[in-house]
Amino acid sequence: MVQHINSNEIKPEMMDTQEEKLRKSLLIFAAAFMTFAVMFWLAIYWMMGLNFSSNVPLGYQAISVASLVYYMRTRNFEVLRFIQLTLFLFAPFIMQWSIGSSVTSSGVALWALLAPIGALVVSGWRESIPWFIAYIVMTAVSGFFDYYLSTGATTGVPLNTIGIFFALNFAAMSSILYFLVRYFVIETEKIKTQLDQQHALLAEEQKKSERVLFNVLPSNIAERLKNNQGLIADGYADVTVMFADLVNFTQLTEQMSPEQMVGLLNTVFSGFDDLSEKYGLEKIKTIGDAYMVVGGLSRERPDYVEDMANMAIEMLDFVSRHPALVKRNLGIHIGIATGPVVAGVIGTKRFIYDLWGDTVNIASRLTDDAKSGHILTDKLTYNRLRFGYLFEPPNILNVKGKGEMTSYRMIGRIGHANEAAGGNVFHLPAAGNAPAAV
């Protein structure tokens, strides 16, 4: 029966928890032990020639077994628990009174202590209080009977027999309490170990989920989503947005297998991801073969416009030097714009963090108008960078929805100590060529 409880025990409406299975196992173990103990107790008395009425122990066994059968059929643990605890409490006292006093019965009423102890283990400390009070009351009543009603009574039980049964009762009761508590402690430790393992697995899964979340969203936005903040929408007065679009990629897709195409994109965008991490910029998304990144959302790096320019230069350098990209004659063209944007998280399934506003549209249009290997900026970005970078004279573009707009093509960088020795001007590479320092 204990093995059955520990296996696939199912209540009518819910699966048992480990704690509930443990409590059921303990109660059934105690009930089976008590049934066996009653039989053993009677057998010893009969073997010693001391015949008492067996009505009480036989009645106990009948009720106990009937309650167990009832439970196996109905799964009503509350009824089983009440019947068994009641038997634990009253049967020992009734057996004592049928024999005589607490002395002549060898302290058999001590077995009633199993009722409050059992309630403590299988129900909880609050539910055990009434059973403990009942045990104390029954013990007091039994003491009253012994004191006032058993004076001078003789039962014919020799003192040596009484002494033996005192020892047996104390030993048996102590044993069952010890094994119940031991079983409870062992199973509790098993449950704790399982919970610790599940907690460790849950923590690991949570870390994986957080890594995915932080890879998809900017760190500050991911933290706000973790804290269950509702709608996330922010306005930024000044950020720098860059789009980088691959050149000749559409034609290349017709010549490559799906694995080759995805592998090539992964090579390019993984390199760009490394650069965005290097300069503390936020990758927003990839759109087909286009890459979008923004600086200035967190304000942790005040020189985000320069960071964006340096990243754009290194992106050109990366594409012009990487063997796999050179082999495919792949190029990029880049547009950078600075200004206000609106940013937020949209959707509830596969949600994305995105930017909206004229600044985004301008950066996208500049990318479209840039040639392979070129970096085009708007006027505001140019004004921020003109003292540290080289630009061609301004060019007028006709932007849909905005009319004419001035753009500037970046052609180099000035005064960086990490450039090649012998010069302080770094020129951007021409399409398909490596950069040069003069």
Side-chain angles (χ1 to χ4, degrees):
M1 295 180 74
V2 173
Q3 291 176 350
H4 181 77
I5 294 300
N6 281 329
S7 57
N8 295 322
E9 169 64 21
I10 299 178
K11 283 186 174 181
E13 297 181 357
M14 61 177 290
M15 184 73 70
D16 278 346
T17 64
Q18 291 292 334
E19 183 180 1
E20 289 169 339
K21 286 185 178 182
L22 174 58
R23 289 178 173 179
K24 292 178 180 181
S25 298
L26 285 170
L27 183 60
I28 293 177
F29 172 77
F33 189 92
M34 285 288 285
T35 301
F36 172 78
V38 169
M39 296 170 58
F40 186 69
W41 186 85
L42 276 177
I44 293 177
Y45 266 100
W46 289 339
M47 289 173 59
M48 298 181 68
L50 302 173
N51 299 323
F52 297 101
S53 173
S54 60
N55 293 335
V56 175
L58 289 179
Y60 172 90
Q61 290 177 329
I63 297 174
S64 179
V65 172
S67 68
L68 289 171
V69 173
Y70 174 80
Y71 167 70
M72 297 301 294
R73 290 180 177 274
T74 65
R75 305 298 182 198
N76 193 329
F77 182 68
E78 288 74 16
V79 172
L80 173 68
R81 181 173 56 196
F82 177 79
I83 293 175
Q84 289 296 331
L85 292 179
T86 302
L87 290 174
F88 293 166
L89 178 63
F90 291 104
F93 285 105
I94 296 174
M95 290 174 68
Q96 174 182 303
W97 298 337
S98 68
I99 296 173
S101 65
S102 59
V103 175
T104 56
S105 66
S106 304
V108 71
L110 182 65
W111 287 88
L113 182 60
L114 191 60
I117 297 297
L120 182 65
V121 173
V122 303
S123 297
W125 70 270
R126 294 182 185 275
E127 291 78 4
S128 69
I129 295 175
W131 294 100
F132 181 73
I133 294 174
Y135 170 76
I136 295 298
V137 171
M138 292 297 293
T139 302
V141 171
S142 179
F144 174 82
F145 287 163
D146 285 354
Y147 186 80
Y148 287 102
L149 303 180
S150 298
T151 303
T154 59
T155 61
V157 181
L159 288 177
N160 57 352
T161 303
I162 293 174
I164 291 173
F165 274 90
F166 258 116
L168 288 175
N169 284 330
F170 274 96
M173 186 59 192
S174 301
S175 297
I176 190 173
L177 288 179
Y178 169 77
F179 283 109
L180 277 177
V181 174
R182 178 180 179 273
Y183 183 78
F184 179 78
V185 171
I186 291 175
E187 293 300 318
T188 301
E189 289 178 352
K190 290 181 181 179
I191 293 174
K192 183 179 181 299
T193 301
Q194 293 175 359
L195 290 176
D196 289 341
Q197 293 173 348
Q198 292 173 1
H199 179 74
L201 292 174
L202 182 61
E204 183 61 30
E205 291 301 319
Q206 185 177 5
K207 288 180 181 179
K208 291 180 181 179
S209 300
E210 288 183 359
R211 283 196 293 269
V212 172
L213 187 63
F214 279 86
N215 284 334
V216 172
L217 302 173
S219 57
N220 60 326
I221 301 300
E223 288 289 346
R224 290 164 64 180
L225 276 180
K226 282 175 57 181
N227 295 329
N228 295 322
Q229 184 170 335
L231 180 65
I232 295 180
D234 301 300
Y236 296 92
D238 189 87
V239 300
T240 299
V241 179
M242 176 175 68
F243 282 94
D245 201 0
L246 300 180
V247 180
N248 298 327
F249 184 78
T250 302
Q251 292 83 348
L252 286 175
T253 58
E254 300 175 358
Q255 307 168 13
M256 295 185 294
S257 66
E259 292 79 7
Q260 290 175 323
M261 183 189 71
V262 174
L264 185 64
L265 277 178
N266 185 61
T267 298
V268 176
F269 291 155
S270 295
F272 292 173
D273 287 346
D274 293 339
L275 292 175
S276 67
E277 287 289 330
K278 174 181 176 180
Y279 288 104
L281 303 171
E282 295 288 355
K283 171 188 174 181
I284 299 301
K285 59 184 175 180
T286 59
I287 312 168
D289 57 358
Y291 188 91
M292 180 182 180
V293 65
V294 63
L297 295 181
S298 64
R299 294 294 190 268
E300 293 178 358
R301 298 171 67 104
D303 299 328
Y304 52 88
V305 183
E306 291 186 12
D307 289 333
M308 189 70 74
N310 291 333
M311 178 178 173
I313 292 172
E314 292 200 34
M315 289 167 70
L316 291 179
D317 187 24
F318 174 81
V319 172
S320 66
R321 290 180 181 273
H322 197 286
L325 308 183
V326 173
K327 178 182 177 181
R328 299 285 186 178
N329 194 28
L330 199 67
I332 59 171
H333 49 127
I334 297 173
I336 303 175
T338 300
V341 297
V342 173
V345 177
I346 56 175
T348 56
K349 184 177 181 181
R350 295 180 182 175
F351 50 77
I352 62 169
Y353 182 76
D354 211 347
L355 307 179
W356 301 272
D358 282 345
T359 303
V360 178
N361 297 332
I362 292 171
S364 177
R365 182 56 193 272
L366 289 171
T367 306
D368 294 338
D369 288 338
K371 297 179 181 179
S372 179
H374 288 190
I375 301 174
L376 291 186
T377 72
D378 67 343
K379 186 173 183 179
L380 185 55
T381 305
Y382 163 78
N383 288 335
R384 304 275 183 90
L385 299 175
R386 60 195 177 102
F387 296 110
Y389 298 81
L390 296 176
F391 290 88
E392 287 184 345
N395 183 42
I396 304 300
L397 299 178
N398 187 13
V399 178
K400 181 179 180 180
K402 292 185 69 67
E404 293 185 346
M405 185 187 73
T406 303
S407 67
Y408 298 82
R409 179 196 166 199
M410 183 189 300
I411 58 174
R413 183 170 53 190
I414 303 172
H416 283 254
N418 62 343
E419 308 300 357
N424 64 351
V425 177
F426 176 84
H427 288 282
L428 269 63
N433 297 322
V438 297

